[in-house]
Amino acid sequence: MEPVRTISERELNRVLLARQLLLERRRLSLPKALERIGGIQAQYAPSMYIGLWSRLEGFERDQLTRALERRTVVQGTSLRSTIHLLSPRDWWIFAEAITPARREQWLRTRRQTADAKGMAAAAARAWPLFGGEPVDRKLLQETVGLGAPGISGINAWLSLIRVPPSGTWDRRRADLFVEASDWIGPRPKLRREAATVELVRSYLRGFGPSTTAEIADWAGLAIAPVQRALGSIELRRFRAEDGEELIDLPRLPIPDPETVAPVRFLPVWDATLLVHARRSQILPERHRSRVFSTKTPQSVATFLVDGQVAGIWRFEKGRVKLEPFERLGRAARSQLDAEAERLAEFHS
């Protein structure tokens, strides 16, 4: 039996950067890029654009807006009941795998105000609104009813997609909705178990090697369905420095830990900084409270130096202003300033 190799924290850092397209910008179609990295969180519309700009060679803002208009990518409430930008293929796979868990979680947090029967009735009232044309938030809210929790929950009973011009760089409030089957075609016939297997594969392609708990945390699922899915997948196994077993898909590359990591800018909510990816230390623990706090649960916009968060940034008066957490070397500062100029041009 082949011994299990221990993979270092630095190797995990470089492999996550590589799989998230943050070691080297790539020329990929938007759907393929999103499938490669497991989607992009999109509660704040510009985050989608900046996240893709940092990952794709030659990406321009109009590319994403056109893709949303042409329905080659979609945005809506998905993993962990948060808004994600996904390919249409992944939209339906993820929906099939996570919808029951999303409903259970939503009801569990609102035991005093909602139940499954009431939510099904609210969804039935809203259903006749959808027939291909976008429905605005106000009408949807009125139809669902003030006594119901509103559309924050109804999208776990109806598969709603946010459509342009809302939810784009130029019109950031996402307040126009369609039912997904009207926008990207009917839900494919896919069993939940098979969808969960594909969901787990998506995670490992974008974030592995990982623990079972990390996969479940990202997906918003319990451990048991993730374990069952893993039983159907050929896996490669590693040992983390702390002794935990890490699982991965076979034959995916593991970069040399000394691979140079270029300066990169990340938007708020970037998934590489969330708890499920903590093991890679892209966000060093000594800086976590400066990025996530009760005042900024959405995080702040950050930049990476040598593969780790080294400060925060903001766009102000036509410039990207930098706030390093610690003193930067001359070479790193030069690279950072050059990348900041390119990001300012992207904004403008």
Side-chain angles (χ1 to χ4, degrees):
M1 183 175 178
E2 184 180 349
V4 176
R5 178 163 87 83
T6 296
I7 189 167
S8 69
E9 183 180 280
R10 188 172 173 89
E11 283 181 294
L12 289 171
N13 176 272
R14 292 313 194 247
V15 72
L16 180 56
L17 291 171
R19 295 188 189 182
Q20 283 292 305
L21 309 180
L22 293 168
L23 267 188
E24 180 184 3
R25 286 185 170 98
R26 300 291 300 276
R27 286 196 176 275
L28 295 171
S29 70
L30 297 192
K32 286 188 179 298
L34 292 170
E35 289 171 6
R36 173 83 171 264
I37 65 175
I40 288 182
Q41 282 197 221
Q43 289 95 314
Y44 177 55
S47 292
M48 305 182 292
Y49 293 80
I50 295 164
L52 289 169
W53 175 82
S54 286
R55 290 169 165 91
L56 299 180
E57 184 68 37
F59 175 76
E60 297 179 357
R61 292 199 325 238
D62 285 350
Q63 286 178 254
L64 176 52
T65 302
R66 287 197 303 269
L68 288 165
E69 293 168 346
R70 294 171 180 172
R71 312 180 190 193
T72 58
V73 300
V74 295
Q75 60 171 315
T77 304
S78 183
L79 303 166
R80 305 180 307 282
S81 295
T82 57
I83 303 168
H84 277 70
L85 179 72
L86 299 167
S87 72
R89 173 186 177 275
D90 276 357
W91 172 267
W92 283 127
I93 290 171
F94 291 9
E96 184 62 38
I98 67 176
T99 293
R102 282 185 57 206
R103 291 178 179 178
E104 290 171 11
Q105 189 275 337
W106 197 88
L107 291 171
R108 191 164 55 247
T109 60
R110 292 163 177 83
R111 291 174 180 168
Q112 306 303 317
T113 59
D115 57 35
K117 184 177 180 181
M119 291 306 297
R125 289 195 297 274
W127 178 258
L129 296 175
F130 298 99
E133 293 300 317
V135 176
D136 67 67
R137 177 183 293 272
K138 182 179 179 182
L139 177 58
L140 183 56
Q141 181 69 66
E142 290 173 350
T143 304
V144 167
L146 295 176
I151 57 175
S152 65
I154 207 67
N155 56 31
W157 275 260
L158 297 174
S159 188
L160 302 183
I161 285 174
R162 298 164 182 248
V163 297
S166 74
T168 61
W169 185 281
D170 294 320
R171 184 180 159 187
R172 298 174 185 186
R173 179 175 171 79
D175 56 1
L176 294 175
F177 301 87
V178 296
E179 206 280 325
S181 59
D182 290 333
W183 191 253
I184 56 173
R187 182 190 291 260
K189 293 181 180 179
L190 183 66
R191 294 181 59 195
R192 180 152 300 121
E193 293 79 5
T196 306
V197 168
E198 290 305 308
L199 178 73
V200 169
R201 288 183 186 276
S202 292
Y203 181 84
L204 293 174
R205 279 196 302 269
F207 297 97
S210 304
T211 66
T212 304
E214 288 161 354
I215 301 170
D217 182 76
W218 171 81
L221 294 176
I223 293 288
V226 174
Q227 289 175 325
R228 288 194 294 270
L230 288 168
S232 302
I233 301 173
E234 181 186 356
L235 296 171
R236 185 181 184 186
R237 300 179 187 276
F238 296 93
R239 188 74 59 190
E241 289 180 326
D242 63 4
E244 277 209 82
E245 183 184 58
L246 305 179
I247 49 182
D248 198 12
L249 297 176
R251 294 174 290 281
L252 292 182
I254 304 292
D256 187 301
E258 299 310 312
T259 302
V260 174
V263 164
R264 287 289 183 261
F265 283 82
L266 299 180
V268 297
W269 287 123
D270 197 274
T272 58
L273 307 187
L274 302 182
V275 170
H276 70 89
R278 206 166 192 162
R279 189 178 301 278
S280 71
Q281 285 296 290
I282 285 182
L283 175 55
E285 290 305 309
R286 68 185 184 278
H287 297 326
R288 184 166 289 274
S289 63
R290 303 177 75 169
V291 175
F292 292 97
S293 69
T294 55
K295 292 183 178 179
T296 58
Q298 76 280 10
S299 82
V300 291
T302 57
F303 58 82
L304 307 181
V305 175
D306 191 27
Q308 293 189 310
V309 169
I312 62 178
W313 66 271
R314 65 185 184 278
F315 183 71
E316 190 175 280
K317 297 180 180 179
R319 296 178 54 216
V320 171
K321 296 193 174 182
L322 307 173
E323 185 181 320
F325 292 152
E326 298 169 353
R327 184 180 178 85
L328 298 174
R330 183 176 299 176
R333 184 68 199 218
S334 177
Q335 294 169 22
L336 191 61
D337 288 342
E339 188 78 348
E341 286 186 15
R342 289 190 285 269
L343 181 55
E345 291 175 5
F346 180 78
H347 271 78
S348 300

